[in-house]
Amino acid sequence: GFVAALIVGYPTFRHWSTLTKGRMLDAACLGLTIGIVLGRVGCYSVGEHFGGTTSFFLGTRYDGGVTREPATVGEVIHNTALYEGLLLLPLIGVLWWLMRRRTAPGTAAGVFGIWYSVSRFSLDFLRVNDETVLGLTGAQWTCLVVVIPLAVYVLLRVRPRMAARVALEAEAAERDGAAAAGEPPADGGDDADQVSGSAAGSSAGTA
């Protein structure tokens, strides 16, 4: 699906300006967050991403039924799908707020990368059925090596350049507006010049 989206969308977004690409990236991160939350609802319903037993008040009691991961009837376990969905719900509001405030393009994308990576990296330590390499899951390695560095780069390097571009566009728009407001009226300009000339001639004759 992702490859198909690239093939179909590339002829369009290749012509977008840098600012438009940044704004669309922010919007995509908001949509992705909503999609992940909905996806975690599905994970919770089919019974996967379980953790160990717990007395935590958000722990899930398994009372039987078909699940995708093994569980013991009667045990209360961590359900990381539930936790992740709850952690991402506030992020939806934060990203929406950032975009409504028209912050520099890339801001929402950087915040998403940091927020999601920290949440996912932390929660994966609770999972008991995921394979690990050197003590970390594949998702944890991806967050540590790819997502967090990219998010930091976007916030520290890309975002300031985007903000500068936005400022330049605002200055250009202000100059254009001032120039348009300072233009002489389309009608009556010649008549006004003739009246001024007549007044000047009369003043000279009187002197």
Side-chain angles (χ1 to χ4, degrees):
F2 178 74
V3 175
L6 286 179
I7 294 174
V8 174
Y10 180 73
T12 299
F13 61 70
R14 66 188 292 264
H15 298 293
W16 289 346
S17 68
T18 301
L19 290 179
T20 300
K21 291 176 182 177
R23 293 186 179 106
M24 292 303 295
L25 178 61
D26 288 340
C29 287
L30 173 59
L32 179 59
T33 305
I34 296 172
I36 293 174
V37 171
L38 295 176
R40 291 313 178 203
V41 173
C43 295
Y44 186 88
S45 65
V46 301
E48 61 181 349
H49 307 318
F50 291 156
T53 57
T54 182
S55 59
F56 185 46
F57 77 100
L58 286 177
T60 301
R61 178 185 174 89
Y62 176 62
D63 291 324
V66 178
T67 59
R68 297 188 65 178
E69 293 184 359
T72 302
V73 175
E75 284 188 343
V76 178
I77 58 177
H78 288 298
N79 194 315
T80 61
L82 172 64
Y83 300 164
E84 186 175 326
L86 293 176
L87 286 172
L88 293 183
L89 283 176
L91 179 58
I92 295 174
V94 170
L95 297 181
W96 177 262
W97 177 74
L98 288 172
M99 294 174 64
R100 286 294 300 270
R101 286 195 62 194
R102 300 189 68 81
T103 55
T107 303
V111 170
F112 165 80
I114 297 295
W115 189 308
Y116 178 76
S117 295
V118 171
S119 300
R120 181 62 186 271
F121 186 87
S122 303
L123 289 176
D124 271 23
F125 284 116
L126 297 176
R127 297 189 182 192
V128 296
N129 297 307
D130 288 22
E131 296 182 357
T132 60
V133 177
L134 299 178
L136 300 178
T137 66
Q140 286 176 313
W141 281 114
T142 301
C143 291
L144 191 63
V145 177
V146 179
V147 182
I148 291 179
L150 280 176
V152 171
Y153 176 79
V154 167
L155 288 175
L156 298 184
R157 299 295 300 274
V158 176
R159 180 182 174 277
R161 292 200 293 265
M162 291 288 193
R165 286 176 178 268
V166 171
L168 288 175
E169 280 197 355
E171 290 177 3
E174 185 177 351
R175 286 196 302 268
D176 293 343
E183 290 178 356
D187 297 326
D190 294 338
D191 294 339
D193 291 339
Q194 292 174 2
V195 170
S196 298
S198 300
S202 299
S203 298
T206 303

